[in-house]
């Protein structure tokens, strides 16, 4: 598990108090970020008829919105590291509202891609990452529960927005509905105002005196020697400082060393495979129901059923994941949840009536809630809280590619074969493969960590023994100088075993 927060963060998270108010704000902000791209699928049929587009073209609206939300993750992480979560979320709420209001005046599908997909998606990115990051700053022991409650905002708002959007569509059409939804999204600004900053007091780094700590002999260098050494030393020093300062300044906002983190890479590859089939089945759930002859309100109600089950599943999963039996094995639990999600998608084509789709929606809500509740908890468990903001940004920008391509590929399969079952088969197979991959690779990762720990402890014992032999002159034991230096380096490297675990994987 992640190292102690008081050791890495510089302070002890309160695990309560105002943190529960922050969880409520994250509940709203995360809820809009995840639920809104799914809820606007209610308008797809009407927009498709209005502009005369295909299933694949209309699917790009949600796809671009989700891809922008994930692709703008590094920008959001950099802004959070620089300015904090509160102003970033408020700015995101303003962008979401502006995008939807502008979308109500669009004259073609391309303008809809820009207003809803790019502007709205970028606003959702500024809502999502800060809300996830701020929970990790307020909670440590209760973090899985807090994440589960905050992530439950998505199903709550989904089961609310689905019938609400159907009502708006019937009363005002898609243009009037987008105008109203733009005002509704401004509530994200209120949620962001609840994110009170927390953290250690950071002081300004004072310039150190180069001559401080030197011996008088080193300080009394002749002026001729100083004049001779100064041009060369200043040139080399300035070049090194320039290179180091550029990398260090960038690394302060986005830690690129995570790409050398084995656990992070396993998580990243598994999620990329998963997201090829994660959102498309939900995007096409209501259109699939209409395709088999179910009325519009009943089709929209399937999303509400899924949202209600999802709403219960997320906090319940958080409680289970926080237990002493599951939390040390949370990576396996996450892989099982993804595989279970894929199995549900593979069973969906066998639901040929409304009763079957209700059963599918129930199991989909359960599986989807399990995955979403642990999506970021497993990441912070791997990399630790201090590197979590950078990890979120790097993960989301890579994940935007499968998120962008997933729904349009599903729509292309529907356009090609005229049926939805091949789209569900594709999504189910991708998620099943991702779940199996994560379980196998995490098992391999844990075995490698055990071997590295044993090897490091053995090297440490040998180095300690050789060090004693060198200091015990009366025994006359000789140790090679290079071996002793290597042993000293190893002893320093394993002096803090928790730090070694974190760099190896973080469990």
């Amino acid at each position: 598990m992640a190292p102690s927060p008081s050791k890495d963060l510089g302070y002890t998270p309160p695990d309560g108090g105002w943190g529960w108010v922050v969880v409520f704000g994250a509940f709203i902000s995360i809820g809009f970020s995840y639920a809104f791209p799914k809820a606007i699928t209610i308008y797809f049929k009407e927009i498709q008829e209005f502009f005369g587009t295909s299933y694949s073209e209309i699917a790009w609206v949600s796809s671009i919105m989700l891809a922008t939300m994930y692709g703008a993750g590094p920008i959001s992480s950099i802004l959070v590291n620089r300015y904090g979560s509160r102003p970033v979320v408020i700015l995101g709420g303003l962008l979401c509202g502006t995008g939807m209001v502008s979308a109500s005046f669009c004259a073609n599908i391309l303008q809809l891609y820009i207003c809803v997909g790019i502007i709205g998606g970028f606003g959702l990115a500024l809502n999502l990452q800060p809300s996830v990051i701020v929970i990790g700053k307020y909670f440590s022991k209760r973090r899985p529960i807090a994440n589960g409650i905050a992530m439950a905002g998505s199903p709550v708002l989904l089961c609310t927005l689905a019938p609400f959007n159907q009502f708006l569509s019937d009363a005002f059409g898609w243009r009037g509905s987008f105008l109203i939804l733009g005002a509704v999204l401004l509530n994200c600004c209120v949620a962001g105002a609840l994110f009170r900053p927390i953290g250690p007091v950071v002081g300004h780094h004072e310039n150190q005196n180069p001559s401080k700590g030197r011996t008088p002999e080193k300080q009394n260098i002749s002026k001729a020697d100083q004049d001779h050494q100064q041009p060369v030393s200043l040139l080399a020093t300035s070049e090194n400082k320039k290179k180091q300062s550029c990398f260090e300044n960038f690394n302060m906002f986005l830690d690129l060393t995570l790409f050398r983190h084995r656990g992070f890479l396993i998580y990243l590859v598994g999620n990329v495979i998963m997201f090829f089939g994660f959102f498309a089945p939900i995007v096409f759930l209501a259109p699939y129901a209409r395709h088999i002859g179910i009325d519009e309100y009943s089709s929209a109600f399937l999303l509400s059923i899924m949202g209600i089950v999802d709403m219960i599943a997320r906090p319940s999963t958080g409680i289970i994941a926080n237990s002493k039996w599951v939390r040390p094995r949370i990576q396996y639990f996450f892989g099982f949840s993804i595989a279970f999600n894929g199995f549900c998608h593979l069973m969906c084509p066998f639901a040929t009536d409304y009763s079957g789709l209700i059963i599918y929606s129930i199991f989909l809500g359960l599986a989807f809630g399990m995955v979403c509740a642990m999506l970021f908890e497993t990441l912070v468990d791997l990399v630790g809280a201090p590197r979590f903001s950078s990890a979120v940004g790097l993960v989301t920008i890579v994940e935007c590619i499968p998120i962008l391509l997933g729904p349009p590929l599903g729509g292309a399969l529907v356009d090609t074969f005229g049926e939805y079952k091949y789209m569900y088969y594709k999504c189910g197979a991708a998620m099943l493969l991702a779940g199996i991959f994560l379980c196998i690779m995490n098992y391999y990762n844990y075995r490698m960590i055990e071997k590295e720990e044993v090897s490091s402890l053995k090297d440490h014992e040998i180095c300690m023994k050789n060090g004693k032999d060198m200091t015990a002159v009366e025994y006359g034991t000789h140790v090679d100088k290079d071996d002793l230096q290597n042993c000293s380096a190893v002893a320093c490297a394993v002096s803090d075993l928790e730090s070694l675990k974190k760099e190896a994987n973080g469990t």
Side-chain angles (χ1 to χ4, degrees):
M1 288 166 49
S4 174
S6 59
K7 178 180 178 180
D8 291 332
L9 293 176
Y11 67 97
T12 302
D15 271 314
W18 186 261
W20 297 116
V21 180
V22 172
V23 169
F24 174 73
F27 178 91
I28 297 174
S29 182
I30 294 175
F32 276 114
S33 299
Y34 279 119
F36 194 78
K38 309 181 192 76
I40 62 172
T41 58
I42 299 297
Y43 304 100
F44 278 7
K45 193 71 175 178
E46 184 181 357
I47 296 173
Q48 182 181 359
E49 295 174 355
F50 185 86
F51 291 120
T53 59
S54 63
Y55 285 102
S56 180
E57 289 175 333
I58 195 64
W60 278 102
V61 176
S62 288
S63 184
I64 292 174
M65 193 176 198
L66 287 168
T68 306
M69 183 179 74
Y70 277 77
I75 300 175
S76 180
S77 297
I78 291 172
L79 292 175
V80 170
N81 290 335
R82 181 66 179 86
Y83 301 104
S85 295
R86 176 184 284 175
V88 176
V89 175
I90 293 175
L91 176 61
L94 293 174
L95 285 176
C96 290
T98 302
M100 292 306 297
V101 171
S102 302
S104 63
F105 300 99
C106 290
N108 53 59
I109 192 68
L110 180 60
Q111 295 177 2
L112 209 62
Y113 291 160
I114 296 173
C115 294
V116 178
I118 297 178
I119 299 177
F122 187 71
L124 293 180
L126 299 184
N127 286 336
L128 177 62
Q129 276 83 359
S131 303
V132 174
I133 292 169
V134 74
I135 293 176
K137 294 182 178 180
Y138 271 90
F139 290 89
S140 175
K141 295 181 180 179
R142 300 178 180 176
R143 191 180 60 229
I145 299 176
N147 276 323
I149 295 174
M151 297 296 286
S154 173
V156 170
L157 288 180
L158 179 60
C159 67
T160 304
L161 286 175
F164 179 65
N165 283 345
Q166 190 64 57
F167 168 76
L168 291 179
S169 179
D170 294 339
F172 304 101
W174 70 271
R175 291 188 183 275
S177 300
F178 280 14
L179 188 63
I180 296 172
L181 289 174
V184 173
L185 284 170
L186 293 177
N187 285 288
C188 294
C189 300
V190 181
L194 301 176
F195 294 165
R196 180 186 297 171
I198 186 174
V201 178
V202 181
H204 296 286
H205 296 283
E206 297 180 358
N207 295 328
Q208 296 181 355
N209 187 2
S211 63
K212 186 176 180 179
R214 295 182 181 177
T215 59
E217 290 78 9
K218 291 183 180 181
Q219 293 180 5
N220 295 329
I221 300 175
S222 64
K223 185 176 181 181
D225 293 337
Q226 291 181 356
D227 293 339
H228 177 72
Q229 296 175 359
Q230 186 175 7
V232 179
S233 61
L234 286 178
L235 181 60
T237 304
S238 62
E239 290 180 356
N240 293 333
K241 284 185 176 180
K242 186 176 180 180
K243 293 179 180 179
Q244 292 178 0
S245 62
C246 292
F247 180 76
E248 290 175 356
N249 289 335
F250 184 81
N251 228 36
M252 287 174 59
F253 299 106
L254 204 62
D255 190 0
L256 297 179
T257 60
L258 285 167
F259 285 110
R260 298 199 299 263
H261 194 293
R262 187 172 59 239
F264 174 79
L265 292 177
I266 293 172
Y267 176 91
L268 184 61
V269 174
N271 276 27
V272 167
I273 300 173
M274 176 191 73
F275 275 112
F276 273 106
F278 193 58
F279 289 112
I282 303 171
V283 171
F284 289 100
L285 179 58
Y288 174 53
R290 294 182 187 179
H291 177 74
I292 63 176
I294 299 172
D295 62 274
E296 296 179 352
Y297 275 94
S298 299
S299 300
F301 187 65
L302 291 174
L303 292 175
S304 299
I305 294 174
M306 174 194 163
I308 292 171
V309 178
D310 192 1
M311 175 176 49
I312 300 173
R314 297 198 189 198
S316 301
T317 302
I319 294 173
I320 295 173
N322 198 55
S323 64
K324 62 181 181 179
W325 299 281
V326 178
R327 193 168 186 184
R329 304 169 182 85
I330 195 171
Q331 305 297 333
Y332 296 119
F333 192 30
F334 182 56
F336 165 77
S337 302
I338 296 174
F340 177 55
N341 207 320
F343 176 77
C344 292
H345 296 331
L346 293 175
M347 295 295 105
C348 179
F350 297 97
T352 56
D353 56 5
Y354 191 61
S355 300
L357 286 180
I358 289 177
I359 296 175
Y360 167 71
S361 300
I362 292 173
F363 280 95
L364 178 60
L366 175 62
F368 193 81
M370 292 171 64
V371 173
C372 291
M374 295 183 292
L375 189 62
F376 294 108
E377 174 59 33
T378 50
L379 180 58
V380 70
D381 180 75
L382 287 172
V383 303
R387 307 172 77 184
F388 179 54
S389 60
S390 295
V392 171
L394 295 175
V395 164
T396 52
I397 194 173
V398 177
E399 290 173 349
C400 74
I401 298 174
I403 290 172
L404 177 66
L405 299 178
L409 286 176
L413 291 174
V414 175
D415 291 334
T416 302
F417 298 100
E419 296 182 6
Y420 286 82
K421 63 179 182 180
Y422 298 103
M423 183 270 299
Y424 280 99
Y425 288 152
K426 184 268 295 182
C427 296
M431 297 201 68
L432 191 63
L433 176 63
I436 295 173
F437 171 82
L438 285 174
C439 289
I440 294 176
M441 292 305 297
N442 278 310
Y443 175 77
Y444 163 77
N445 192 29
Y446 290 146
R447 292 296 300 271
M448 291 298 296
I449 292 173
E450 292 177 359
K451 291 181 180 179
E452 289 167 359
E453 290 176 0
V454 172
S455 176
S456 299
L457 289 175
K458 288 182 179 179
D459 292 340
H460 180 61
E461 292 176 357
I462 294 173
C463 293
M464 293 297 294
K465 181 179 179 181
N466 290 338
K468 291 179 181 178
D469 290 340
M470 285 296 294
T471 55
V473 182
E474 62 272 18
Y475 292 104
T477 305
H478 175 71
V479 180
D480 186 71
K481 182 178 180 181
D482 294 334
D483 292 339
L484 183 60
Q485 291 177 352
N486 294 333
C487 290
S488 300
V490 173
C492 294
V494 301
S495 60
D496 190 354
L497 192 55
E498 291 297 328
S499 177
L500 176 65
K501 291 179 183 179
K502 177 183 173 183
E503 293 300 325
N505 186 7
T507 57

